[in-house]
Amino acid sequence: MMLEHKSVLRSMVGRLEESNGAEEVRKRGQDVVRQAQLAMQERLNAHSRDLNALHMSVSRQAVRADEDQQQLIDDLTASRRHALTRVTELEDEINDLKLVFVLGKSLSQETELKEEITSRTEQVKREEEVMRKEFERLRKENFELADRLLVAQRERNEAIEERNMAIQRSEKLEQVVGTLRRRIGGGLNSSS
């Protein structure tokens, strides 16, 4: 479309140069000005469409960053709750076993009972070791989730900053478009 206007303008300027008489020059000059204004208006409209598309893209990125951040927070909270629950359960079981051991010792039960308690204590220690490793794994996972959360927050902040910059550029261009439209409108009115 722009090339079409340029070619029409060149053709009109050529005819303007070939014009005979002031009235014909004035009329052809007005045609040239109108075509130039149309071409400029099309350019401004294209820039406005591009800015709107950019603004929508940045807004979508900010929404996605917010959703990712919330998901990371939810995952981190659930992992912490699970780890604390398991630690509490293990502590309760250890306390119960200690009580059983103390009672067994104080009552001087038979060797079989002592072996059973010893066996159970060793089993609890093994389970405690397994749970300690699980707790460490969950702790490490929490740190990784926290790191991902920081990255998501950083990306969200960058997206918001890009959106704000795009909005500022859009507002500046809209001001320029408004000024150019007023100038174009003023040019049309004065040439009529």
Side-chain angles (χ1 to χ4, degrees):
M1 195 67 161
M2 292 298 281
L3 292 175
E4 180 180 315
H5 281 297
K6 285 183 181 180
S7 118
V8 168
L9 282 173
R10 283 190 193 123
S11 167
M12 293 177 118
V13 168
R15 277 190 257 142
L16 182 64
E17 290 172 351
E18 297 169 359
S19 298
N20 295 327
E23 183 59 30
E24 192 177 340
V25 167
R26 187 186 64 75
K27 185 177 178 191
R28 288 185 180 176
Q30 287 176 347
D31 288 343
V32 168
V33 168
R34 263 189 240 108
Q35 283 297 322
Q37 288 173 337
L38 282 174
M40 191 176 297
Q41 186 64 41
E42 282 183 21
R43 263 212 220 121
L44 291 173
N45 290 341
H47 286 303
S48 289
R49 283 190 302 272
D50 291 346
L51 284 173
N52 286 338
L54 176 63
H55 177 69
M56 293 299 291
S57 172
V58 169
S59 293
R60 282 192 299 272
Q61 288 175 356
V63 167
R64 261 195 310 269
D66 285 343
E67 290 169 353
D68 290 348
Q69 179 182 5
Q70 187 58 47
Q71 182 62 45
L72 287 172
I73 289 170
D74 293 346
D75 291 348
L76 182 59
T77 303
S79 293
R80 283 183 181 157
R81 263 196 306 262
H82 176 70
L84 290 174
T85 301
R86 283 302 290 149
V87 166
T88 303
E89 289 171 356
L90 286 174
E91 287 173 347
D92 289 345
E93 189 174 345
I94 288 170
N95 287 334
D96 289 347
L97 289 172
K98 284 180 181 177
L99 180 62
V100 168
F101 183 77
V102 168
L103 289 174
K105 189 174 182 180
S106 68
L107 295 173
S108 302
Q109 293 181 351
E110 299 174 20
T111 306
E112 185 178 73
L113 180 60
K114 288 180 182 178
E115 289 174 0
E116 183 181 329
I117 291 172
T118 303
S119 171
R120 182 66 181 137
T121 303
E122 289 173 4
Q123 181 183 354
V124 168
K125 285 181 182 177
R126 286 191 300 272
E127 289 176 1
E128 181 182 15
E129 181 62 23
V130 168
M131 292 315 299
R132 187 190 60 77
K133 288 179 182 177
E134 175 67 12
F135 181 79
E136 284 301 316
R137 185 189 67 76
L138 288 172
R139 186 172 170 261
K140 182 180 176 186
E141 208 173 84
N142 283 340
F143 283 122
E144 290 171 0
L145 286 172
D147 288 344
R148 286 175 45 201
L149 175 61
L150 289 174
V151 168
Q153 287 174 331
R154 199 173 324 119
E155 289 174 354
R156 178 183 175 272
N157 290 340
E158 289 172 2
I160 289 171
E161 187 175 318
E162 288 176 12
R163 183 190 71 201
N164 290 340
M165 289 173 57
I167 289 170
Q168 288 174 355
R169 284 193 302 259
S170 173
E171 290 171 353
K172 286 180 183 177
L173 284 173
E174 286 174 4
Q175 288 174 352
V176 170
V177 166
T179 302
L180 290 173
R181 284 182 178 155
R182 285 192 299 276
R183 287 184 183 170
I184 291 171
L188 282 175
N189 291 338
S190 66
S191 64
S192 294

